[in-house]
Amino acid sequence: MIRVVLAEDQAMVLGALAALLEIEADLEVVGRAADGAQALALCEELRPDVLVTDIEMPGLPGLELAAAVKAKGLATRVLILTTFARPGYLRRALDAGASGYLLKDAPSAQLADAVRRVAAGLRAVDPELAAEAWSEACPLTERERQALRLAALGRSAPDIAGELGLSEGTVRNYLSEAIGKLGAANRIEAARIARDKGWL
Amino acid sequence: MIRVVLAEDQAMVLGALAALLEIEADLEVVGRAADGAQALALCEELRPDVLVTDIEMPGLPGLELAAAVKAKGLATRVLILTTFARPGYLRRALDAGASGYLLKDAPSAQLADAVRRVAAGLRAVDPELAAEAWSEACPLTERERQALRLAALGRSAPDIAGELGLSEGTVRNYLSEAIGKLGAANRIEAARIARDKGWL
DNA sequence: CGCGGGGCATGACATCCGTCACCCGCCCGC
DNA sequence: GCGGGCGGGTGACGGATGTCATGCCCCGCG
């Protein structure tokens, strides 16, 4: 019997996924969490074989959750289940020690199989996503990412300069760099592109 | 036995919701659709009691799907199931003839109840969402919405003018109007606010 | 009929943005 | 120890953006 903990912030989806897994005779959902911190606590307490988790969750996001589980030396394998087909996410997930990366767009029948593969110590990664993951690395520097993230919220250059402790001119330089690297026409488009790729 | 058709673009979630509903003895999932057009065809063919549908779907979005079902004179009741707690969406859903509006954040146990309520001819609307729905109407005019939507994609004023067949100055006027009405500092923030409220 | 308001446009002005050239200081490798 | 990256900064320029005043046309409504 494979013991599973589920983490997903949308309660309805959490319950539905649990129902889906419970159908399988060899799987057992032993814990459910609505956020990352709760999931981590459950993993420590219940020592499940597999943790199935979303990426975007309040508090502790899925990627950090995966890293935390590994850091604590738990034998629990992590399977990421997410909406986003973003190469950057997959790469970071694997870096964080995740064993699998499944898309919510994938057929529901694949979930149980992926859980079994991961429980057996194998990897379960969406194949077409894996291809571009290693090709497309994020070209932005840390500072450029920070500036772009704030710009995406509508902050002006002086605002951003204040929040990052930089000068206005430097902020414009970073944004200009980012715009150039991403082939965008302005900061708005650049932010869209970066978000879509998972580079935030 | 209440006959249900499910429409949801994320295959994994679609399968999981079906599993959740199939648990109930009095509910039967007779059809599944991955997009709006498919859902409409299934409703015509199968004449289900209830159609449970997401809002954001490729092709025919959920709100138009609801309107189409009603326009065809089908007895099928529509229950919207979505991520977005946006007053604008709820209002438009009810205008489109939907009988219920449930959030994916709600506990999964509520889904079956909502389906039963809707099948019985009652309404099923998230109560706290209902409150603000009638208070906050979208203050933007049609033109302002169009301009803002394009601006949100990173288009420049001249670009937008071209796409809408307006002059550049007029586009700037509309955006300025929208920024003022929404209390934003610039077009980027205005777009964020409008998106969050469901005014697009 | 008159008049107000919405949609559209123009022109002008002050900022803000995107770009470029160039500068400094620091750390790292050769 | 010295030349280059690299992070950070300055200054300037042209174009984009946000605001305001003003004007036109058209339609609905009192």
Side-chain angles (χ1 to χ4, degrees), chain B residues 141 143 166-167 169-170 172-174:
Chain B
T141 70
R143 287 305 214 176
L166 298 177
S167 83
T170 302
R172 291 215 303 276
N173 280 140
Y174 283 146

Side-chain angles (χ1 to χ4, degrees), chain B residues 61-85:
Chain B
L63 296 178
E64 292 178 29
L65 171 58
V69 166
K70 291 302 159 191
K72 287 192 180 285
L74 298 178
T76 300
R77 320 264 188 189
V78 179
L79 173 60
I80 304 281
L81 174 63
T82 184
T83 305
F84 308 103

Side-chain angles (χ1 to χ4, degrees), chain B residues 14-199:
Chain B
L14 174 60
L17 288 172
L20 187 63
L21 288 177
E22 292 284 3
I23 291 176
E24 308 293 323
D26 58 336
L27 304 183
E28 183 184 8
V29 178
V30 296
R32 305 180 188 192
D35 61 59
Q38 209 176 323
L40 185 57
L42 278 178
C43 284
E44 285 192 84
E45 184 192 338
L46 302 171
R47 308 280 167 152
D49 300 303
V50 180
L51 165 65
V52 176
T53 178
D54 194 359
I55 285 191
E56 299 209 336
M57 281 190 300
L60 194 66
L63 296 178
E64 292 178 29
L65 171 58
V69 166
K70 291 302 159 191
K72 287 192 180 285
L74 298 178
T76 300
R77 320 264 188 189
V78 179
L79 173 60
I80 304 281
L81 174 63
T82 184
T83 305
F84 308 103
R86 297 175 184 171
Y89 274 10
L90 170 55
R91 177 192 293 246
R92 277 188 274 162
L94 296 181
D95 285 349
S99 300
Y101 191 101
L102 205 54
L103 295 180
K104 285 185 181 173
D105 284 326
S108 57
Q110 279 186 22
L111 179 58
D113 285 342
V115 170
R116 290 190 194 99
R117 282 183 58 84
V118 168
L122 301 172
R123 291 203 172 276
V125 173
D126 191 291
E128 84 183 272
L129 201 52
E132 43 182 340
W134 295 118
S135 61
E136 277 202 277
C138 174
L140 303 177
T141 70
E142 179 58 25
R143 287 305 214 176
E144 288 160 4
R145 291 226 333 277
Q146 294 173 356
L148 194 54
R149 211 179 311 142
L150 292 172
L153 298 177
R155 302 276 198 285
S156 70
D159 282 358
I160 298 172
E163 287 194 52
L164 295 184
L166 298 177
S167 83
E168 173 184 342
T170 302
V171 168
R172 291 215 303 276
N173 280 140
Y174 283 146
L175 289 176
S176 181
E177 269 297 303
I179 290 166
K181 285 179 180 177
L182 299 179
N186 53 49
R187 59 179 67 186
I188 311 178
E189 204 182 339
R192 261 186 10 90
I193 294 172
R195 227 198 342 264
D196 288 351
K197 297 276 189 178
W199 297 333

